[in-house]
């Protein structure tokens, strides 16, 4: 048994949350930080470290709920866009080591949250990189 992380405690009702959705496998609630209005987290109830180590069936259920929340954000919350994000391992910004997906409504450019994708392709051997990934899927 691993030590309970903060999301295990939320699942067990030891820490309160603003619940959005719950079934046997999935729980969704508002992120305490609200980087934008309605920022939600969708998590597996069972403890898995992150997206990469979660069984497919559970991962699919979590993504299904994330999709539904994103649709509501657009339809009813006034969002113009949504970012679906799952940080895997600290190097990617994961701070809670329990699988979760962020659903971040976007209202206008740069509000509260920003992803900057720079083009760093110069000098990279793209055929070799593509080959290495492709051959190991
Ligand atoms: P990560 O950085 O691991 O991808 O995201 C973890 C998220 O969990 C953060 O956005 C943080 O605000 C949120 N969080 C941490 N502790 C709590 C808590 O006790 N309640 C809620 N609702 N969110 C939390």
């Amino acid at each position: 048994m691993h030590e309970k992380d903060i999301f295990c405690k939320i699942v067990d009702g030891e820490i309160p949350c603003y619940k959005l959705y719950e079934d046997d496998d999935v729980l969704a609630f508002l992120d305490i930080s609200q980087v934008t209005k309605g920022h939600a987290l969708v998590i597996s109830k069972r403890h898995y470290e992150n997206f990469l180590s979660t069984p497919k069936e559970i991962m699919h259920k979590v993504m299904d709920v994330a999709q539904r929340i994103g649709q509501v954000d657009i339809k009813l919350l006034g969002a113009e866009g949504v970012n679906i994000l799952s940080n895997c391992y600290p190097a990617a910004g994961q701070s809670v080591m329990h699988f979760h997906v962020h659903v971040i409504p976007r209202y206008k450019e740069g509000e509260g949250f920003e992803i900057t994708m720079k083009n760093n392709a110069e000098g990279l051997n793209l055929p070799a990189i593509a080959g290495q990934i492709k051959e190991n899927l």
Side-chain angles (χ1 to χ4, degrees):
M1 264 296 269
H2 69 97
E3 209 178 300
K4 272 190 187 179
D5 59 66
I6 198 125
F7 290 171
C8 287
K9 290 180 183 169
I10 288 176
V11 168
D12 289 347
E14 294 167 24
I15 292 176
C17 68
Y18 291 102
K19 205 176 278 186
L20 304 175
Y21 175 87
E22 182 170 19
D23 63 28
D24 288 348
D25 301 305
V26 180
L27 179 67
F29 51 91
L30 290 182
D31 189 303
I32 207 164
S33 70
Q34 291 295 286
V35 302
T36 65
K37 183 186 73 179
H39 176 191
L41 295 171
V42 189
I43 74 169
S44 58
K45 281 187 164 181
R46 276 192 75 167
H47 179 88
Y48 300 106
E49 192 176 24
N50 59 38
F51 173 84
L52 298 179
S53 56
T54 299
K56 271 192 208 322
E57 189 197 323
I58 301 293
M59 182 269 285
H60 289 160
K61 288 181 176 176
V62 167
M63 294 311 288
D64 176 67
V65 176
Q67 184 189 52
R68 288 157 61 188
I69 291 171
Q71 288 165 345
V72 170
D73 291 343
I74 298 283
K75 226 174 173 175
L76 298 168
L77 222 59
E80 292 171 24
V82 176
N83 289 103
I84 307 292
L85 181 70
S86 192
N87 299 325
C88 301
Y89 300 114
Q94 185 179 5
S95 62
V96 178
M97 304 309 280
H98 181 129
F99 173 40
H100 58 280
V101 173
H102 294 262
V103 183
I104 304 173
R106 302 298 300 274
Y107 299 94
K108 56 180 178 326
E109 210 57 43
E111 186 198 62
F113 178 75
E114 207 170 333
I115 295 183
T116 318
M117 301 263 192
K118 292 186 202 147
N119 186 337
N120 292 317
E122 200 180 310
L124 293 180
N125 184 345
L126 296 185
I129 295 164
Q132 196 176 12
I133 296 171
K134 197 167 78 177
E135 282 155 26
N136 289 287
L137 287 177

